[in-house]
Amino acid sequence: HPGFAISGNFNMLKVFLLLLCAAATAAEFNVSDIIGKNPVPICATLVKSHGIPCEEHQVTTEDGFKLSMIRLPNNAKGKSVLMMHGLLASATSFLVATEPGQGSGRTAALKLWTAGFDVWLGNNRGTWYSLQNKKWSPTGEEFWEHVDFDFMGQYDVPAMVNYITKVAKRKQISYLGYSQGSTQAFAGFSQSRALRKKINLFVAMAPAARLAHLSSPLLLGLAGLPQTALFNLFGTTSFPPLNLTALEIMAKVNVKCACNHRLLCQNLLYDIGGATPDGVDPAVWKNLLTFDPDGTSMRNLAHWFQLITTGKFQKFDYGVWGNLFFYGRKTPPQYNLKKVKVPTLIMYGGKDDLATPEDVEWLMSKLPSYRAIKFPDYAHMDFTWAEDSPQTVWNKVQHALETVTENDLEANEPDTDEE
């Protein structure tokens, strides 16, 4: 933004780097360890300790990414649900809001499994759990150029949905997306009729699409930086960055996090999504920040910042000549939300500074049909992390999944991806 002070940029940068430092300190890692070469095993660490069965699966996308998936098998209800995490997170988002011994009802995924659902948790391309591709290495730029929520919607979501329907022997499944998990679904559902026909319910939780009214000071400040400045600082591959130059910059900032201090952790995260006083159990902060933030690409972050600066829900903007090459037009196409012909339940917060009520209500106005539940006192992080979320949110999710029926909105349409 014109006139944005250099000192303001530096302060925003320090806060952004604090997020990385927080994750490192919580897990007693050094900053360089965040690269995630040896991610914490999900089944052994977060599921089996509760006496719940857990399976690790891998699915390969059409463009060669090998995605890690976690399954909590249960056929009691004969229904499968795929849960997809948000930006800079992983499948652990739905598993870590508890401490060992507190019981399975405190986490979203374990609560749904206990209720009888066949629960699947996906890990998007670019997370530390999905860093393989048949053609490209994560040490090269081409790998990270294909880590973007648009590609996640185009390739990751269909690959995982198709895999689940085959393995679980289901005609249709339910899809629950939190934050970016809903963003990639809107992108995918708007472009693929074949994908839509396999979804009987789409739960869009804290859905982020248009970000015209986003009020997070941290994200507004970062989005105001020139894209070239971000790439020069952090590189053009992964975030957190793998390249030594960016790691050196982070070391030079030399801000120490003591994430046992609850207020510091709250302030860092609430700068992004808004604050709800006493929303998160103090006992779980360190456990949460052991796993988040996870990885993504600078390209994906740049795409998100574009949504903030343009106020539009659209594909990645390559610039005029790049857009002409990739899209055959000077400007990136906007996603056509009228084509999201999937039974949709929108769950959003009244105090969300990222997916604001104004932008979620705009999103709903573009959908062909939907149901909505507003949580007036909830901010962005509360849906997965708030102490009362098992009763406030996940009981309603469970009810919606239990009452789901077959999606016949596309029954008479040809089975083709052409729009």
Side-chain angles (χ1 to χ4, degrees), residues 95-127:
L95 291 166
V96 299
T98 186
E99 289 289 308
Q102 285 186 321
S104 61
R106 277 296 310 277
T107 77
L110 303 188
K111 180 179 178 66
L112 295 181
W113 179 89
T114 302
F117 294 97
D118 179 38
V119 178
W120 294 75
L121 305 165
N123 287 294
N124 280 319
R125 61 182 63 201
T127 63

mmCIF file of all heavy atoms in Angstrom, residues 95-127:
data_model
loop_
_atom_site.group_PDB
_atom_site.id
_atom_site.type_symbol
_atom_site.label_atom_id
_atom_site.label_comp_id
_atom_site.label_asym_id
_atom_site.label_seq_id
_atom_site.Cartn_x
_atom_site.Cartn_y
_atom_site.Cartn_z
ATOM 1 N N LEU A 95 -6.625 -33.099 15.405
ATOM 2 C CA LEU A 95 -6.250 -34.131 16.363
ATOM 3 C C LEU A 95 -5.525 -33.621 17.600
ATOM 4 O O LEU A 95 -5.398 -34.353 18.579
ATOM 5 C CB LEU A 95 -5.351 -35.177 15.681
ATOM 6 C CG LEU A 95 -6.013 -36.071 14.638
ATOM 7 C CD1 LEU A 95 -4.948 -36.798 13.824
ATOM 8 C CD2 LEU A 95 -6.956 -37.065 15.292
ATOM 9 N N VAL A 96 -5.035 -32.391 17.586
ATOM 10 C CA VAL A 96 -4.118 -31.986 18.649
ATOM 11 C C VAL A 96 -4.734 -31.105 19.722
ATOM 12 O O VAL A 96 -4.047 -30.759 20.674
ATOM 13 C CB VAL A 96 -2.882 -31.259 18.076
ATOM 14 C CG1 VAL A 96 -2.115 -32.157 17.152
ATOM 15 C CG2 VAL A 96 -3.285 -29.956 17.395
ATOM 16 N N ALA A 97 -5.979 -30.737 19.632
ATOM 17 C CA ALA A 97 -6.566 -29.846 20.635
ATOM 18 C C ALA A 97 -6.943 -30.611 21.894
ATOM 19 O O ALA A 97 -8.051 -30.536 22.398
ATOM 20 C CB ALA A 97 -7.776 -29.129 20.056
ATOM 21 N N THR A 98 -6.002 -31.385 22.377
ATOM 22 C CA THR A 98 -6.237 -32.150 23.598
ATOM 23 C C THR A 98 -4.893 -32.544 24.179
ATOM 24 O O THR A 98 -3.862 -32.428 23.537
ATOM 25 C CB THR A 98 -7.067 -33.420 23.309
ATOM 26 O OG1 THR A 98 -7.379 -34.057 24.552
ATOM 27 C CG2 THR A 98 -6.312 -34.393 22.442
ATOM 28 N N GLU A 99 -4.894 -32.995 25.401
ATOM 29 C CA GLU A 99 -3.713 -33.540 26.044
ATOM 30 C C GLU A 99 -3.944 -35.024 26.290
ATOM 31 O O GLU A 99 -5.082 -35.449 26.496
ATOM 32 C CB GLU A 99 -3.451 -32.843 27.385
ATOM 33 C CG GLU A 99 -2.970 -31.408 27.239
ATOM 34 C CD GLU A 99 -1.547 -31.322 26.711
ATOM 35 O OE1 GLU A 99 -0.656 -31.969 27.262
ATOM 36 O OE2 GLU A 99 -1.339 -30.596 25.728
ATOM 37 N N PRO A 100 -2.893 -35.861 26.278
ATOM 38 C CA PRO A 100 -3.070 -37.281 26.543
ATOM 39 C C PRO A 100 -3.825 -37.514 27.849
ATOM 40 O O PRO A 100 -3.553 -36.892 28.862
ATOM 41 C CB PRO A 100 -1.622 -37.811 26.633
ATOM 42 C CG PRO A 100 -0.842 -36.860 25.794
ATOM 43 C CD PRO A 100 -1.491 -35.520 26.012
ATOM 44 N N GLY A 101 -4.824 -38.384 27.762
ATOM 45 C CA GLY A 101 -5.589 -38.724 28.948
ATOM 46 C C GLY A 101 -6.871 -37.933 29.105
ATOM 47 O O GLY A 101 -7.706 -38.243 29.943
ATOM 48 N N GLN A 102 -7.053 -36.885 28.267
ATOM 49 C CA GLN A 102 -8.273 -36.088 28.374
ATOM 50 C C GLN A 102 -9.451 -36.730 27.656
ATOM 51 O O GLN A 102 -10.564 -36.257 27.779
ATOM 52 C CB GLN A 102 -8.044 -34.681 27.814
ATOM 53 C CG GLN A 102 -7.231 -33.787 28.741
ATOM 54 C CD GLN A 102 -7.167 -32.375 28.220
ATOM 55 O OE1 GLN A 102 -7.041 -32.148 27.020
ATOM 56 N NE2 GLN A 102 -7.253 -31.413 29.113
ATOM 57 N N GLY A 103 -9.217 -37.758 26.869
ATOM 58 C CA GLY A 103 -10.315 -38.420 26.199
ATOM 59 C C GLY A 103 -10.470 -37.987 24.764
ATOM 60 O O GLY A 103 -10.112 -36.885 24.379
ATOM 61 N N SER A 104 -11.038 -38.876 23.944
ATOM 62 C CA SER A 104 -11.137 -38.629 22.512
ATOM 63 C C SER A 104 -12.183 -37.591 22.147
ATOM 64 O O SER A 104 -12.197 -37.082 21.034
ATOM 65 C CB SER A 104 -11.443 -39.947 21.783
ATOM 66 O OG SER A 104 -12.685 -40.486 22.234
ATOM 67 N N GLY A 105 -13.095 -37.256 23.067
ATOM 68 C CA GLY A 105 -14.140 -36.300 22.733
ATOM 69 C C GLY A 105 -13.649 -34.884 22.569
ATOM 70 O O GLY A 105 -14.383 -34.024 22.090
ATOM 71 N N ARG A 106 -12.392 -34.582 22.970
ATOM 72 C CA ARG A 106 -11.897 -33.228 22.876
ATOM 73 C C ARG A 106 -11.355 -32.864 21.503
ATOM 74 O O ARG A 106 -11.045 -31.710 21.259
ATOM 75 C CB ARG A 106 -10.788 -33.010 23.922
ATOM 76 C CG ARG A 106 -11.283 -32.669 25.312
ATOM 77 C CD ARG A 106 -12.019 -31.330 25.349
ATOM 78 N NE ARG A 106 -11.255 -30.270 24.722
ATOM 79 C CZ ARG A 106 -10.310 -29.588 25.344
ATOM 80 N NH1 ARG A 106 -10.007 -29.855 26.582
ATOM 81 N NH2 ARG A 106 -9.668 -28.634 24.726
ATOM 82 N N THR A 107 -11.191 -33.803 20.603
ATOM 83 C CA THR A 107 -10.676 -33.480 19.283
ATOM 84 C C THR A 107 -11.730 -33.780 18.227
ATOM 85 O O THR A 107 -12.515 -34.714 18.365
ATOM 86 C CB THR A 107 -9.403 -34.267 18.960
ATOM 87 O OG1 THR A 107 -9.755 -35.599 18.616
ATOM 88 C CG2 THR A 107 -8.451 -34.304 20.143
ATOM 89 N N ALA A 108 -11.705 -32.980 17.163
ATOM 90 C CA ALA A 108 -12.747 -33.089 16.150
ATOM 91 C C ALA A 108 -12.786 -34.464 15.497
ATOM 92 O O ALA A 108 -13.845 -35.094 15.404
ATOM 93 C CB ALA A 108 -12.530 -32.009 15.094
ATOM 94 N N ALA A 109 -11.634 -34.931 15.024
ATOM 95 C CA ALA A 109 -11.610 -36.198 14.291
ATOM 96 C C ALA A 109 -11.984 -37.375 15.183
ATOM 97 O O ALA A 109 -12.750 -38.263 14.784
ATOM 98 C CB ALA A 109 -10.225 -36.415 13.676
ATOM 99 N N LEU A 110 -11.442 -37.385 16.390
ATOM 100 C CA LEU A 110 -11.729 -38.503 17.290
ATOM 101 C C LEU A 110 -13.175 -38.483 17.755
ATOM 102 O O LEU A 110 -13.790 -39.541 17.969
ATOM 103 C CB LEU A 110 -10.782 -38.480 18.484
ATOM 104 C CG LEU A 110 -9.279 -38.504 18.170
ATOM 105 C CD1 LEU A 110 -8.464 -38.669 19.443
ATOM 106 C CD2 LEU A 110 -8.943 -39.604 17.171
ATOM 107 N N LYS A 111 -13.741 -37.305 17.890
ATOM 108 C CA LYS A 111 -15.155 -37.195 18.259
ATOM 109 C C LYS A 111 -16.049 -37.803 17.172
ATOM 110 O O LYS A 111 -16.989 -38.539 17.468
ATOM 111 C CB LYS A 111 -15.529 -35.730 18.489
ATOM 112 C CG LYS A 111 -16.996 -35.511 18.875
ATOM 113 C CD LYS A 111 -17.274 -34.035 19.108
ATOM 114 C CE LYS A 111 -18.747 -33.803 19.439
ATOM 115 N NZ LYS A 111 -19.143 -34.413 20.728
ATOM 116 N N LEU A 112 -15.754 -37.508 15.902
ATOM 117 C CA LEU A 112 -16.558 -38.058 14.813
ATOM 118 C C LEU A 112 -16.367 -39.562 14.693
ATOM 119 O O LEU A 112 -17.307 -40.298 14.396
ATOM 120 C CB LEU A 112 -16.211 -37.349 13.502
ATOM 121 C CG LEU A 112 -16.566 -35.858 13.435
ATOM 122 C CD1 LEU A 112 -16.197 -35.283 12.069
ATOM 123 C CD2 LEU A 112 -18.053 -35.631 13.708
ATOM 124 N N TRP A 113 -15.126 -40.040 14.922
ATOM 125 C CA TRP A 113 -14.901 -41.488 14.895
ATOM 126 C C TRP A 113 -15.705 -42.171 15.999
ATOM 127 O O TRP A 113 -16.344 -43.201 15.786
ATOM 128 C CB TRP A 113 -13.417 -41.810 15.066
ATOM 129 C CG TRP A 113 -13.158 -43.285 15.072
ATOM 130 C CD1 TRP A 113 -12.910 -44.089 14.001
ATOM 131 C CD2 TRP A 113 -13.148 -44.146 16.224
ATOM 132 N NE1 TRP A 113 -12.751 -45.393 14.400
ATOM 133 C CE2 TRP A 113 -12.895 -45.460 15.757
ATOM 134 C CE3 TRP A 113 -13.333 -43.939 17.585
ATOM 135 C CZ2 TRP A 113 -12.827 -46.551 16.619
ATOM 136 C CZ3 TRP A 113 -13.268 -45.034 18.446
ATOM 137 C CH2 TRP A 113 -13.006 -46.315 17.956
ATOM 138 N N THR A 114 -15.689 -41.588 17.193
ATOM 139 C CA THR A 114 -16.428 -42.151 18.320
ATOM 140 C C THR A 114 -17.923 -42.210 18.014
ATOM 141 O O THR A 114 -18.625 -43.124 18.472
ATOM 142 C CB THR A 114 -16.185 -41.311 19.591
ATOM 143 O OG1 THR A 114 -14.780 -41.271 19.860
ATOM 144 C CG2 THR A 114 -16.912 -41.892 20.788
ATOM 145 N N ALA A 115 -18.405 -41.267 17.209
ATOM 146 C CA ALA A 115 -19.827 -41.245 16.830
ATOM 147 C C ALA A 115 -20.163 -42.255 15.735
ATOM 148 O O ALA A 115 -21.329 -42.413 15.383
ATOM 149 C CB ALA A 115 -20.215 -39.846 16.369
ATOM 150 N N GLY A 116 -19.134 -42.942 15.187
ATOM 151 C CA GLY A 116 -19.398 -44.006 14.226
ATOM 152 C C GLY A 116 -19.029 -43.716 12.794
ATOM 153 O O GLY A 116 -19.331 -44.524 11.905
ATOM 154 N N PHE A 117 -18.348 -42.590 12.542
ATOM 155 C CA PHE A 117 -18.001 -42.229 11.168
ATOM 156 C C PHE A 117 -16.629 -42.781 10.771
ATOM 157 O O PHE A 117 -15.725 -42.892 11.600
ATOM 158 C CB PHE A 117 -18.007 -40.709 10.990
ATOM 159 C CG PHE A 117 -19.360 -40.093 11.136
ATOM 160 C CD1 PHE A 117 -19.747 -39.531 12.347
ATOM 161 C CD2 PHE A 117 -20.256 -40.107 10.084
ATOM 162 C CE1 PHE A 117 -21.005 -38.979 12.496
ATOM 163 C CE2 PHE A 117 -21.521 -39.546 10.217
ATOM 164 C CZ PHE A 117 -21.905 -38.993 11.427
ATOM 165 N N ASP A 118 -16.499 -43.089 9.492
ATOM 166 C CA ASP A 118 -15.228 -43.475 8.884
ATOM 167 C C ASP A 118 -14.497 -42.179 8.541
ATOM 168 O O ASP A 118 -14.859 -41.491 7.581
ATOM 169 C CB ASP A 118 -15.509 -44.307 7.622
ATOM 170 C CG ASP A 118 -14.249 -44.748 6.902
ATOM 171 O OD1 ASP A 118 -13.267 -45.074 7.590
ATOM 172 O OD2 ASP A 118 -14.261 -44.769 5.654
ATOM 173 N N VAL A 119 -13.502 -41.818 9.343
ATOM 174 C CA VAL A 119 -12.877 -40.493 9.267
ATOM 175 C C VAL A 119 -11.556 -40.561 8.495
ATOM 176 O O VAL A 119 -10.684 -41.376 8.801
ATOM 177 C CB VAL A 119 -12.623 -39.927 10.680
ATOM 178 C CG1 VAL A 119 -11.923 -38.571 10.596
ATOM 179 C CG2 VAL A 119 -13.936 -39.801 11.448
ATOM 180 N N TRP A 120 -11.430 -39.677 7.501
ATOM 181 C CA TRP A 120 -10.202 -39.545 6.717
ATOM 182 C C TRP A 120 -9.674 -38.120 6.887
ATOM 183 O O TRP A 120 -10.443 -37.158 6.851
ATOM 184 C CB TRP A 120 -10.471 -39.809 5.239
ATOM 185 C CG TRP A 120 -10.868 -41.213 4.915
ATOM 186 C CD1 TRP A 120 -12.091 -41.803 5.146
ATOM 187 C CD2 TRP A 120 -10.058 -42.208 4.287
ATOM 188 N NE1 TRP A 120 -12.078 -43.098 4.708
ATOM 189 C CE2 TRP A 120 -10.844 -43.382 4.174
ATOM 190 C CE3 TRP A 120 -8.743 -42.222 3.810
ATOM 191 C CZ2 TRP A 120 -10.359 -44.539 3.597
ATOM 192 C CZ3 TRP A 120 -8.254 -43.380 3.234
ATOM 193 C CH2 TRP A 120 -9.053 -44.530 3.131
ATOM 194 N N LEU A 121 -8.362 -38.009 7.060
ATOM 195 C CA LEU A 121 -7.707 -36.715 7.214
ATOM 196 C C LEU A 121 -6.661 -36.557 6.117
ATOM 197 O O LEU A 121 -5.763 -37.387 5.989
ATOM 198 C CB LEU A 121 -7.032 -36.626 8.586
ATOM 199 C CG LEU A 121 -7.933 -36.897 9.798
ATOM 200 C CD1 LEU A 121 -7.090 -37.137 11.039
ATOM 201 C CD2 LEU A 121 -8.886 -35.751 10.022
ATOM 202 N N GLY A 122 -6.780 -35.502 5.330
ATOM 203 C CA GLY A 122 -5.851 -35.282 4.228
ATOM 204 C C GLY A 122 -4.721 -34.342 4.593
ATOM 205 O O GLY A 122 -4.859 -33.502 5.487
ATOM 206 N N ASN A 123 -3.610 -34.492 3.901
ATOM 207 C CA ASN A 123 -2.482 -33.561 4.002
ATOM 208 C C ASN A 123 -2.184 -33.010 2.609
ATOM 209 O O ASN A 123 -1.787 -33.762 1.711
ATOM 210 C CB ASN A 123 -1.238 -34.269 4.546
ATOM 211 C CG ASN A 123 -1.340 -34.579 6.020
ATOM 212 O OD1 ASN A 123 -1.368 -33.692 6.861
ATOM 213 N ND2 ASN A 123 -1.407 -35.865 6.349
ATOM 214 N N ASN A 124 -2.394 -31.720 2.432
ATOM 215 C CA ASN A 124 -2.177 -31.107 1.123
ATOM 216 C C ASN A 124 -0.716 -31.162 0.686
ATOM 217 O O ASN A 124 0.197 -31.293 1.501
ATOM 218 C CB ASN A 124 -2.610 -29.640 1.151
ATOM 219 C CG ASN A 124 -4.101 -29.469 1.008
ATOM 220 O OD1 ASN A 124 -4.745 -30.145 0.217
ATOM 221 N ND2 ASN A 124 -4.666 -28.552 1.786
ATOM 222 N N ARG A 125 -0.518 -31.031 -0.612
ATOM 223 C CA ARG A 125 0.827 -30.860 -1.180
ATOM 224 C C ARG A 125 1.526 -29.694 -0.484
ATOM 225 O O ARG A 125 0.913 -28.662 -0.188
ATOM 226 C CB ARG A 125 0.735 -30.604 -2.683
ATOM 227 C CG ARG A 125 -0.036 -29.337 -3.050
ATOM 228 C CD ARG A 125 -0.161 -29.137 -4.552
ATOM 229 N NE ARG A 125 -0.932 -30.212 -5.172
ATOM 230 C CZ ARG A 125 -0.879 -30.521 -6.461
ATOM 231 N NH1 ARG A 125 -0.097 -29.810 -7.274
ATOM 232 N NH2 ARG A 125 -1.601 -31.508 -6.952
ATOM 233 N N GLY A 126 2.819 -29.884 -0.201
ATOM 234 C CA GLY A 126 3.591 -28.815 0.418
ATOM 235 C C GLY A 126 3.633 -28.871 1.933
ATOM 236 O O GLY A 126 4.443 -28.176 2.544
ATOM 237 N N THR A 127 2.741 -29.679 2.553
ATOM 238 C CA THR A 127 2.885 -29.889 3.990
ATOM 239 C C THR A 127 4.040 -30.850 4.214
ATOM 240 O O THR A 127 4.474 -31.559 3.296
ATOM 241 C CB THR A 127 1.604 -30.491 4.605
ATOM 242 O OG1 THR A 127 1.365 -31.786 4.033
ATOM 243 C CG2 THR A 127 0.400 -29.600 4.340
#
